[in-house]
Amino acid sequence: MPRKYALLDETALVAIEAQAAQILSEIGVELQEDSASLDAFRSIGARCERQRVYPDASQLRELIAQAPNRFVWHGKTDAASVEIGGSRPIIAPVFGPPKVLDKSGETHLGTLQDYRDLVRFCDQSDAMDSTGFLLCIAHGGGLAVPHMQLLKAHMELSDKPMMGTVISEVALRDIADAVGAGPDQCRLLHMVNLTPPLTYQVNPLRCLRASAELGQGTVISSYMMMGATSPVMMAGALAQGLAEILVGLALTQIYRPGAPVVGGIFATPFSMQFMGPVFGTPESHLVQLAACQLIRRLGIPVRGDGMISSSKLNDAQAGYEGAGVLGASLLGGADLILHSAGWLEAGRLVSLEKCQTDMAWIEQVLPVYSEAAV
């Protein structure tokens, strides 16, 4: 693995960490409608007022230090299993789009057949390490296909590691039970996104707790829109994002010391013209590079993002925006790269054609990043 690119020097990193600590002590983080999470922080002596916790950042860091700096993400076979935090980045596909772009250029709500096609593609790709989960929201008869039918597609079509669902705690536990996930074997990764600024909603909190109690992996991410849900400047966004994920990461270790976790901080500018995030911008590349440095200092694996774009088509814009984001993740040394293939229209659309072109490109660039010394 090449040496990581260091965007920030020690002085800048320490300043951002100090600002994050001040945010936690003076503003706090809201844990909405989940008394168990507040009780967990009270158990370590953290100050809680109503639904807000004001923890000490140094204490959170001590808790997070109990998490492993690398762990095995198990597939159905040993040959399919991978190590997160090891010698190379682990590549995972898009997560969560409701629509599919077909080969004729038409868009439609995802179907179970679309879902199975996407799982099959992930299994056949040499560059893809996982089949993910919720590759699209599959619909049938006007309703979303139940999570257990999506699980069946993964179990039938691939041996590779898969992610779990966070649609609800019940669904998360259903899938964990079905795949035989236990505390001594991480079979599932659960993507828990908080809600900036400085808020965890009730369902992510319950899923975080269930994932940790089961000994499964939890990816704690802050996904910020600069100028809307975070400060517009990069340093401020990084401080806010670090404060936010410190709370979630530490919470997993209160529930189960040693539970595997991955941390992620992502921020991209918010457009006042169309009132939405703009993906693939240079600002987001810089945030990704700095986020890798900050999270690595916690001693845990780092999440990065892949071929994400605001483009509605698999065109040149999609290519150069995605390449910039993925390049920042690889240069920063991210250990787990999500949304690596298929993402379009700010995450609302997945394209099998784009999956194919993205993965063909990734297969070419991964050896370059693995061999070069930055």
Side-chain angles (χ1 to χ4, degrees):
M1 192 71 177
R3 289 180 283 121
K4 302 350 182 250
Y5 178 76
L7 177 69
L8 302 180
D9 62 18
E10 181 68 16
T11 300
L13 292 168
V14 170
I16 291 171
E17 290 170 343
Q19 185 65 59
Q22 184 178 0
I23 290 170
L24 289 172
S25 65
E26 296 182 4
I27 303 174
V29 172
E30 186 169 351
L31 308 179
Q32 290 185 342
E33 302 177 32
D34 190 59
S35 59
S37 296
L38 292 166
D39 289 342
F41 276 108
R42 289 191 184 100
S43 73
I44 63 168
R47 177 167 63 97
C48 298
E49 297 179 3
R50 297 184 180 178
Q51 296 188 91
R52 191 167 289 268
V53 61
Y54 301 83
D56 177 72
S58 61
Q59 185 180 27
L60 299 187
R61 287 176 174 275
E62 290 175 3
L63 287 165
I64 296 166
Q66 300 176 89
N69 61 5
R70 60 177 64 188
F71 60 91
V72 176
W73 186 10
H74 290 273
K76 287 167 62 178
T77 65
D78 289 342
S81 300
V82 296
E83 185 180 47
I84 296 178
S87 59
R88 67 174 183 87
I90 301 306
I91 307 298
V94 67
F95 190 107
K99 299 185 296 180
V100 173
L101 176 65
D102 62 30
K103 293 182 179 179
S104 68
E106 299 296 322
T107 63
H108 61 268
L109 292 178
T111 66
L112 184 56
Q113 185 58 54
D114 291 323
Y115 196 90
R116 292 178 66 86
D117 289 343
L118 288 163
V119 172
R120 189 177 290 109
F121 168 76
C122 291
D123 179 69
Q124 294 172 353
S125 169
D126 291 335
M128 191 72 74
D129 295 301
S130 166
T131 56
F133 199 81
L134 205 64
L135 298 161
C136 69
I137 299 176
H139 298 79
L143 300 174
V145 172
H147 56 277
M148 295 303 287
Q149 289 191 39
L150 304 184
L151 171 64
K152 185 178 179 181
H154 290 271
M155 298 299 288
E156 289 181 350
L157 300 174
S158 180
D159 290 340
K160 291 182 178 181
M162 59 177 287
M163 299 184 73
T165 183
V166 290
I167 190 171
S168 71
E169 180 185 357
V170 171
L172 184 154
R173 292 184 180 274
D174 284 346
I175 287 181
D177 182 63
V179 303
D184 299 321
Q185 189 178 76
C186 177
R187 291 288 307 275
L188 302 168
L189 281 185
H190 299 101
M191 187 164 66
V192 173
N193 288 337
L194 57 97
T195 306
L198 300 168
T199 301
Y200 282 80
Q201 296 183 348
V202 60
N203 184 63
L205 287 170
R206 291 174 178 173
C207 289
L208 181 157
R209 179 166 59 252
S211 179
E213 289 175 349
L214 292 167
Q216 299 306 290
T218 311
V219 184
I220 307 292
S221 300
S222 173
Y223 232 66
M224 297 170 285
M225 295 179 287
M226 299 163 73
T229 62
S230 80
V232 71
M233 300 300 290
M234 188 180 79
L238 285 165
Q240 177 187 308
L242 180 59
E244 291 168 337
I245 68 166
L246 283 172
V247 169
L249 292 168
L251 196 51
T252 66
Q253 303 307 301
I254 298 174
Y255 292 134
R256 190 181 190 90
V261 292
V262 180
I265 299 173
F266 181 86
T268 196
F270 182 82
S271 171
M272 296 298 289
Q273 183 177 25
F274 65 90
M275 300 302 289
V278 183
F279 291 95
T281 64
E283 295 89 346
S284 68
H285 306 167
L286 296 174
V287 169
Q288 179 68 86
L289 289 168
C292 286
Q293 290 180 266
L294 289 164
I295 296 168
R296 195 175 301 111
R297 287 159 69 92
L298 299 174
I300 60 172
V302 182
R303 169 191 168 168
D305 280 83
M307 298 289 290
I308 65 176
S309 169
S310 296
S311 177
K312 298 180 180 180
L313 299 172
N314 184 30
D315 55 9
Q317 177 189 345
Y320 66 70
E321 288 179 346
V325 177
L326 177 66
S329 294
L330 292 172
L331 281 172
D335 300 293
L336 173 67
I337 301 180
L338 298 179
H339 304 310
S340 294
W343 167 301
L344 283 173
E345 199 179 322
R348 294 187 290 269
L349 187 64
V350 60
S351 161
L352 185 58
E353 178 189 51
K354 188 171 188 292
C355 283
Q356 294 170 331
T357 55
D358 287 348
M359 293 316 303
W361 188 77
I362 289 172
E363 288 176 12
Q364 295 181 50
V365 302
L366 275 181
V368 176
Y369 280 94
S370 297
E371 294 168 5
V374 178

